[in-house]
Amino acid sequence: MNSGRILVVDDEPQLRRVMRTALTSNGYEVFDARSGEEALHVVRAESPDLILLDMNMPGMGGLAACAAIRGISDAGIIILSVRGSEQDKIAALDAGADDYMTKPYSLDELFARIRANLRRLPVLSESTPPIVVSDELTIDLSGRVAIVRGKPVRLTPKEFDLLQFLVSHPNKPVAHRKLLQTVWGPDYGDEVEYLRVFVSQLRKKIEPAPAKPRYIVTEPWVGYRFVMPAKVPVSS
Amino acid sequence: MPRLRSTALSLLAVALTTVFISRVVTVNATTAGLLFLLEILLIATAATLVESVIVSIAAALCFNVFFLPPIGRLTIADPQNWVALMAFLVAALVASKLSTGLRARQADMLEAQRNIERLYALSRSMLLASDTHEVRRLIINKLVELFGFSQVALFETAAGAFQRSTPDSIITDEMLRQTAVNGNVTYVASQRLSLVPITLGGTHLGCLGYVGPRLTDANLQALANTIALALAQSQAREAQTRADAVRKSEELKSILIDALAHDLKTPLTAIDTAADLLVRPQSLSEAQRSDLLAVIREEVDGLKRMLEEAIHLARLDANRLRLECRSLSVQQMAKQAIDSLGASVGSHRLVLAIPSGLPRVNVDPELLAQALKQLIDNAVKYSSPGSEIRVSAQEADGMVCISVTDHGPGLTPLEQARVFDKFYRGEHGRTGVQGTGMGLAIAREIVEAHGGSIRVESNPGLGSRFTISLLAEAQAGAGSASKSEPDRLPAAIGGSA
């Protein structure tokens, strides 16, 4: 049986009822909200693990709600939308969503994505030493934070998983598919646009000059590579 | 050069006169003086001031030497000589002053008229231009052609575009841009270069630069204004066309895609998911099963309704509408509409305010009830639960007006103009509210088929009122009204056409 607390945000009452039945019968605890505004209240009060967010809602709308939720929560966000264009997906990911599904979807696919988004890379034991990449960047694997120029930077769970996987394969190109399957789950592999958005967000957070990345470099047509600068021997 | 020659000619004329009246026909001093005076006046009207003075002094000298005693000698002691000199001088001065003033005024008027003609030609040619680039090209060509400027350059701020009559112009981008920004007229005499800012109502539109004769301030201003108007007009026209095109294609796309995507896919998703859950071997409670079945039922009903509306509208479109009219009271009509609403009113408070004693109307009961239902449905969809929806009626000028008033978000004037268009859904409809954008179009088709009219009044933020106006039946008593039925409808339709 599954476990996890899921918030369903949809203005359509019938859809909320169906989702509630579908999720509770699969072992999840379910909250629901009719609008983005209501969703923010529930997120504050209940801190769910995952949010299923409808894109097309009256009031603040799905995209604005997504960005607002991302501002107060690290919970996974899956956007559910009737539109399936690349632009719509990227806009959603840019607003802080972790995943995007087009309505109507199959229940099996939805469950698979929910499982994937609730999953995290295993948290390493507290004794794992932080990885010092350079004077400016240290990655604390057990605390799941990056320290940039002495200051901890907040990364969303997916961003951190992505960074952790790249750092653990330093100076080697990692293929898109490999990254997607490790960080998102085995059902993923073709969503290269996810990587583009998440890598760009990571770069904004950890790179000194995001336009000219020093750590996470693009390997054209292949994937990404984490550049671990050679350790400069400390001169005596 | 020409002035020197005309002075010489004037002096020659004085000399010839002197010779003529002293040698050929001898006249006395008085006649001679008068002749000289006349000659000076004539010359002064055509000549400049300096010329006139020179000629009057020459005439005074000739008069003194040849006609005043002692003849043949210049005497300046006699006051008579001074009087003659002064008289000639004053005559010359006055005549010259008057005529130069007149001539200047006449030249000004000619110039002004020429300018008006040139500006008129300029603005007339602008009418043919289709875009701002074309307008700039025309302005430049016309300035060269009409005003005879050797170089013309125009900078339009909005487009950031520079355009010149000749590629290697002395008028630089920098000069034009600077003048456009600081708004000062500049004239560089050494290059005969003028720079004029083009402004309209305080807005800097650009700058005109030209090499050629300096125009007076008034003419320059008139020219700048003409150009400003032409630029502003073409900009407005371009913006309008652009906005129209974008709006049309964007709206159509988003309306159709949104309507189809949201209104079909959302219920489908719910049905799909519910059905999927029901066929799974998973353990669902009896309550869960029946709830899922209820969802499927409700969503299928919704889809069915939508399909019916679409077919209905298509039928109305194709003019296959057959009216089966009969005499009906407004109460009956409203009741029929409300009965057909069913559960969709939800928690809204439906208030009926239909006074008794209103004239009856001759309508197709089913269709009119449907039109009214669409209005109430619309009010339910776009106003918050619990708010009041008022259905009222009144008589005015032989018409029965039935209104549905809500406290929804209201409509902007633009939305009001388009709300009855097919597939149109307002700002608030685009996001979230279920509907096809067909309801109000259906209502309008039905009402217009009855020879009536439908309109909307709205206060953004406060609510909207939709009103159906139908021709009232003649107040001849309920009994006779139904007899005259067959004749009433054509009259009603004719009345509105």
Side-chain angles (χ1 to χ4, degrees):
Chain A
M1 213 55 178
N2 301 293
S3 70
R5 294 148 58 80
I6 301 179
L7 167 62
V8 177
V9 191
D10 204 303
D11 59 316
E12 201 55 27
Q14 281 89 348
L15 214 50
R16 287 201 304 275
R17 272 153 67 192
V18 173
M19 292 304 287
R20 177 175 277 279
T21 307
L23 295 171
T24 46
S25 67
N26 268 270
Y28 297 107
E29 193 181 338
V30 179
F31 308 93
D32 58 30
R34 282 173 299 178
S35 64
E37 290 86 347
E38 207 177 302
L40 280 169
H41 288 299
V42 180
V43 169
R44 281 203 194 90
E46 305 289 347
S47 37
D49 304 314
L50 182 69
I51 297 151
L52 301 181
L53 183 61
D54 180 33
M55 184 86 122
N56 201 353
M57 286 187 297
M60 77 192 296
L63 272 188
C66 182
I69 291 171
R70 190 42 87 225
I72 58 167
S73 166
D74 282 342
I77 300 176
I78 304 179
I79 293 274
L80 304 176
S81 168
V82 291
R83 295 193 210 169
S85 79
E86 176 110 355
Q87 264 175 316
D88 289 312
K89 281 183 194 171
I90 288 175
L93 296 173
D94 273 336
D98 297 291
D99 208 344
Y100 188 101
M101 286 184 78
T102 310
K103 290 180 188 178
Y105 36 76
S106 91
L107 212 46
D108 285 324
E109 194 193 350
L110 178 70
F111 285 140
R113 298 232 181 178
I114 289 174
R115 279 194 299 276
N117 278 280
L118 283 170
R119 207 174 107 266
R120 296 273 177 266
L121 287 189
V123 175
L124 299 162
S125 72
E126 282 186 24
S127 56
T128 315
I131 299 174
V132 179
V133 180
S134 67
D135 294 346
E136 294 185 329
L137 177 64
T138 303
I139 297 159
D140 179 358
L141 293 180
S142 57
R144 294 180 65 88
V145 283
I147 293 147
V148 181
R149 285 182 289 279
K151 286 194 188 115
V153 171
R154 225 187 89 197
L155 299 178
T156 69
K158 281 273 173 280
E159 285 168 6
F160 192 84
D161 288 352
L162 189 62
L163 180 63
Q164 180 178 341
F165 192 73
L166 283 168
V167 168
S168 51
H169 298 79
N171 300 324
K172 269 185 238 148
V174 185
H176 292 135
R177 180 165 284 276
K178 179 77 188 155
L179 271 171
L180 283 163
Q181 290 185 338
T182 315
V183 176
W184 273 266
D187 295 326
Y188 296 77
D190 299 322
E191 295 82 353
V192 182
E193 71 270 15
Y194 283 31
L195 288 177
R196 274 208 300 274
V197 172
F198 276 78
V199 165
S200 122
Q201 275 158 2
L202 259 182
R203 280 175 178 158
K204 273 184 215 148
K205 290 182 178 178
I206 66 166
E207 294 277 2
K212 284 188 200 153
R214 203 168 114 190
Y215 305 117
I216 306 175
V217 297
T218 305
E219 289 285 336
W221 309 108
V222 179
Y224 296 92
R225 177 162 53 93
F226 192 88
V227 180
M228 188 73 85
K231 285 275 175 289
V232 184
V234 181
S235 54
S236 48
Chain B
M1 216 35 209
R3 187 181 291 174
L4 215 67
R5 203 163 61 197
S6 75
T7 314
L9 278 174
S10 307
L11 289 175
L12 186 66
V14 173
L16 283 175
T17 311
T18 313
V19 171
F20 187 69
I21 55 178
S22 60
R23 297 278 181 268
V24 184
V25 281
T26 31
V27 294
N28 63 16
T30 317
T31 314
L34 278 172
L35 275 173
F36 277 120
L37 197 60
L38 193 65
E39 192 172 18
I40 287 165
L41 276 173
L42 282 174
I43 291 173
T45 51
T48 64
L49 189 65
V50 181
E51 247 177 284
S52 322
V53 170
I54 293 171
V55 170
S56 59
I57 292 171
L61 289 175
C62 291
F63 184 57
N64 185 308
V65 173
F66 297 105
F67 296 99
L68 289 182
I71 305 276
R73 232 181 51 222
L74 186 65
T75 41
I76 48 173
D78 194 339
Q80 224 194 133
N81 303 330
W82 289 106
V83 170
L85 180 61
M86 286 320 286
F88 289 175
L89 267 177
V90 168
L93 283 174
V94 171
S96 155
K97 179 102 182 93
L98 281 175
S99 69
T100 25
L102 264 172
R103 275 204 307 272
R105 231 168 318 158
Q106 198 178 7
D108 277 354
M109 267 166 62
L110 267 175
E111 176 65 18
Q113 195 187 342
R114 276 228 322 277
N115 250 308
I116 288 167
E117 279 165 10
R118 289 190 292 208
L119 289 176
Y120 176 63
L122 180 67
S123 56
R124 202 181 38 187
S125 69
M126 297 301 117
L127 293 176
L128 302 170
S130 55
D131 55 34
T132 48
H133 180 269
E134 175 91 358
V135 167
R136 288 194 302 269
R137 200 180 55 77
L138 272 172
I139 291 173
I140 287 169
N141 290 352
K142 285 285 158 189
L143 287 184
V144 171
E145 181 191 317
L146 298 168
F147 287 79
F149 298 149
S150 60
Q151 289 181 22
V152 181
L154 190 63
F155 167 54
E156 191 179 354
T157 315
F162 297 93
Q163 222 152 313
R164 291 182 171 75
S165 57
T166 45
D168 48 352
S169 174
I170 59 159
I171 311 162
T172 64
D173 288 2
E174 195 42 45
M175 289 177 190
L176 293 166
R177 201 182 283 120
Q178 217 164 28
T179 307
V181 171
N182 66 26
N184 298 328
V185 177
T186 316
Y187 180 70
V188 183
S190 61
Q191 294 172 307
R192 299 211 308 152
L193 164 68
S194 298
L195 292 165
V196 197
I198 307 292
T199 57
L200 191 72
T203 313
H204 296 285
L205 294 180
C207 171
L208 169 75
Y210 66 83
V211 177
R214 189 177 186 180
L215 294 179
T216 64
D217 283 355
N219 285 337
L220 203 55
Q221 210 45 57
L223 178 61
N225 286 346
T226 307
I227 294 175
L229 279 173
L231 287 182
Q233 203 178 20
S234 73
Q235 279 174 10
R237 215 165 32 219
E238 246 187 8
Q240 180 72 37
T241 322
R242 225 174 11 234
D244 275 358
V246 169
R247 206 189 62 215
K248 281 225 179 75
S249 79
E250 286 292 304
E251 253 176 30
L252 201 67
K253 249 192 295 185
S254 82
I255 286 166
L256 286 176
I257 291 173
D258 274 12
L260 284 177
H262 190 268
D263 300 339
L264 291 175
K265 282 186 179 179
T266 306
L268 269 181
T269 308
I271 293 168
D272 195 18
T273 313
D276 199 347
L277 272 173
L278 283 168
V279 297
R280 269 162 202 263
Q282 245 159 8
S283 60
L284 289 174
S285 72
E286 206 43 51
Q288 282 175 323
R289 281 182 181 281
S290 61
D291 185 50
L292 290 176
L293 284 170
V295 166
I296 294 178
R297 176 87 265 151
E298 286 162 26
E299 295 290 43
V300 167
D301 280 349
L303 284 172
K304 233 161 64 187
R305 217 170 32 238
M306 216 159 93
L307 205 62
E308 272 164 16
E309 279 185 7
I311 293 169
H312 203 108
L313 189 60
R315 262 181 49 213
L316 293 176
D317 262 0
N319 274 334
R320 268 183 263 162
L321 199 59
R322 282 209 193 290
L323 300 178
E324 288 172 24
C325 296
R326 56 193 183 82
S327 176
L328 207 65
S329 77
V330 179
Q331 270 104 342
Q332 284 171 312
M333 205 166 72
K335 187 177 177 310
Q336 195 160 357
I338 289 163
D339 284 349
S340 67
L341 279 171
S344 62
V345 174
S347 60
H348 289 80
R349 277 182 298 130
L350 199 57
V351 177
L352 268 176
I354 300 173
S356 51
L358 280 179
R360 294 167 78 86
V361 283
N362 188 29
V363 294
D364 183 315
E366 211 171 298
L367 285 174
L368 231 291
Q370 168 136 26
L372 194 53
K373 171 183 171 272
Q374 297 291 2
L375 297 190
I376 302 174
D377 246 355
N378 186 70
V380 169
K381 276 182 201 158
Y382 291 94
S383 60
S384 47
S387 66
E388 183 188 286
I389 295 168
R390 173 177 287 262
V391 181
S392 55
Q394 64 183 71
E395 188 196 357
D397 300 331
M399 303 295 280
V400 175
C401 305
I402 308 150
S403 301
V404 177
T405 312
D406 67 51
H407 298 284
L411 299 163
T412 62
L414 188 75
E415 288 176 311
Q416 288 176 40
R418 312 203 46 206
V419 75
F420 295 109
D421 288 355
K422 224 170 293 170
F423 301 120
Y424 181 78
R425 300 180 67 198
E427 277 302 304
H428 299 273
R430 208 62 56 69
T431 49
V433 177
Q434 242 196 330
T436 48
M438 291 187 282
L440 294 177
I442 290 176
R444 185 180 63 176
E445 296 274 353
I446 292 174
V447 172
E448 287 181 354
H450 282 85
S453 65
I454 190 164
R455 66 174 190 275
V456 61
E457 303 142 88
S458 185
N459 240 341
L462 295 175
S464 309
R465 172 184 294 144
F466 287 84
T467 303
I468 294 175
S469 303
L470 296 165
L471 200 70
E473 277 194 346
Q475 287 278 51
S480 63
S482 55
K483 274 184 198 145
S484 61
E485 259 171 49
D487 304 326
R488 291 223 60 82
L489 186 66
I493 291 175
S496 91

